[in-house]
Amino acid sequence: MEIITTVERLQEVAMRERAAGKTLGMVPTMGALHEGHLSLIRRAHEENDVVFCSIFVNPVQFNNAEDLQKYPRTLEADVQLIGDLADYVFAPTVEEVFPVAPTEVYDFGPVANVMEGAARPGHFNGVGVIVRRLLEWVRPHKSYFGEKDYQQIAVVKEMCRQCRILSEIVPCPIVREPNGLAMSSRNRRLSVHEFETAANIHRILEASKQCGTVQEIKTFVESEIGKIPEFQLDYFELADAETLQTADTLDNPHGVMGFITVYTGPVRLIDNVKY
Ligand code: PAF
């Protein structure tokens, strides 16, 4: 594995591998890697000749300075975990990626305006800014994203459509802790007690599958989350699995999903469930 820190070298090796007829897989991450990331990297390894993994805490997608400052940075441990699963790890500085502050303003349409888009203004624009750059520099055949950030996948697909980026976007299933909590780099910030409490998010979503209607599901989830004093619900939305617009009925050709964001102490955790 080669660790790359410059965009010039990144483009050089990617172009060389492509010219040699290799298929390229890309896994963009912000580091603090866990089994969820490793499942993406393993899949990229299985499906491509050459794997690129980026580790970059992208400042322009944070709309909260404290969240950016507290975001875990564990490059050495990340590189150890990746081992031989990736051929290239791109770990640049902020100045390397953004020699000047980016000014792009996208309109990713309805998929980007609801839920995380509404709760975190500018977040998806920042995701679009970095993912576009990474995919244009590497030009991977396939790029891998985890379904914990389900809405992010819809936004990235829309960005690729608008910017004519031809990489196939491959959604990968959520990986969970043994207690059911969706794996996230932010889980490291939970105390032992908060970590155990946070397992209730998945438990409640799973239990809500017993409800018969959208209204029953909403009432059930909101009341069950409300019973746990450590939790503060940001939102729980039922939405069309493709358009991500509010679903009024479970009878929907694309399927309906529940999307939840809960503060557990200071940590914002997100999860989703398919009905
Ligand atoms: O999902 C993430 O970790 C980030 O949003 C991504 C896709 C690496 C862009 O910074």
Side-chain angles (χ1 to χ4, degrees):
M1 178 229 285
E2 176 182 337
I3 299 174
I4 296 177
T5 55
T6 67
V7 174
E8 188 180 2
R9 177 72 184 153
L10 179 69
Q11 288 184 289
E12 184 184 305
V13 296
M15 216 183 309
R16 196 187 59 209
E17 298 285 12
R18 221 173 211 274
K22 305 278 179 61
T23 57
L24 276 48
M26 169 93 202
V27 184
T29 82
M30 298 204 299
L33 301 185
H34 49 66
E35 267 304 314
H37 297 111
L38 292 180
S39 76
L40 308 182
I41 302 170
R42 272 190 212 104
R43 178 133 174 222
H45 185 68
E46 279 162 26
E47 297 184 355
N48 301 275
D49 298 325
V50 178
V51 174
F52 290 78
C53 175
S54 61
I55 296 181
F56 178 64
V57 181
N58 171 33
V60 302
Q61 71 184 73
F62 284 80
N63 59 334
N64 176 318
E66 192 189 343
D67 194 23
L68 171 62
Q69 189 231 322
K70 296 233 165 110
Y71 204 86
R73 288 157 173 90
T74 58
L75 182 60
E76 255 176 55
D78 292 346
V79 168
Q80 290 288 324
L81 278 176
I82 296 170
D84 289 334
L85 288 173
D87 301 275
Y88 302 100
V89 170
F90 178 52
T93 61
V94 173
E95 293 69 30
E96 180 65 16
V97 173
F98 301 121
V100 294
T103 52
E104 301 95 295
V105 179
Y106 294 106
D107 178 359
F108 297 129
V111 292
N113 295 337
V114 291
M115 300 188 289
E116 287 302 273
R120 302 179 66 192
H123 168 64
F124 283 136
N125 199 73
V127 170
V129 166
I130 186 62
V131 175
R132 179 177 182 178
R133 285 179 194 217
L134 292 169
L135 299 194
E136 287 187 341
W137 291 333
V138 175
R139 298 189 54 227
H141 297 81
K142 293 185 178 188
S143 307
Y144 297 79
F145 294 85
E147 284 186 327
K148 180 175 71 66
D149 298 297
Y150 189 93
Q151 191 179 3
Q152 170 171 272
I153 299 178
V155 170
V156 167
K157 283 185 178 168
E158 178 58 17
M159 184 277 293
C160 289
R161 192 184 74 79
Q162 291 185 10
C163 302
R164 298 263 185 258
I165 289 173
L166 301 180
S167 188
E168 180 190 338
I169 303 303
V170 183
C172 301
I174 297 176
V175 177
R176 297 185 179 281
E177 300 286 354
N179 72 4
L181 176 63
M183 286 201 183
S184 164
S185 306
R186 290 188 173 86
N187 292 353
R188 293 173 192 230
R189 292 177 51 204
L190 298 169
S191 68
V192 173
H193 172 70
E194 286 165 346
F195 179 82
E196 289 310 324
T197 306
N200 285 295
I201 300 170
H202 178 59
R203 180 187 62 74
I204 292 167
L205 291 183
E206 282 297 310
S208 74
K209 288 180 177 173
Q210 306 302 320
C211 302
T213 66
V214 159
Q215 200 43 59
E216 276 171 31
I217 293 172
K218 268 212 110 169
T219 308
F220 175 80
V221 170
E222 285 169 5
S223 105
E224 290 297 306
I225 293 285
K227 287 179 191 163
I228 298 173
E230 290 86 347
F231 284 165
Q232 196 195 328
L233 183 64
D234 192 355
Y235 63 77
F236 174 64
E237 296 286 347
L238 286 130
D240 179 302
E242 205 172 295
T243 66
L244 299 184
Q245 304 309 293
T246 304
D248 300 321
T249 158
L250 292 175
D251 184 18
N252 180 309
H254 300 144
V256 171
M257 295 190 52
F259 295 92
I260 195 162
T261 302
V262 182
Y263 282 92
T264 308
V267 186
R268 193 166 182 276
L269 299 174
I270 77 174
D271 204 345
N272 60 69
V273 64
K274 195 164 178 61
Y275 291 106

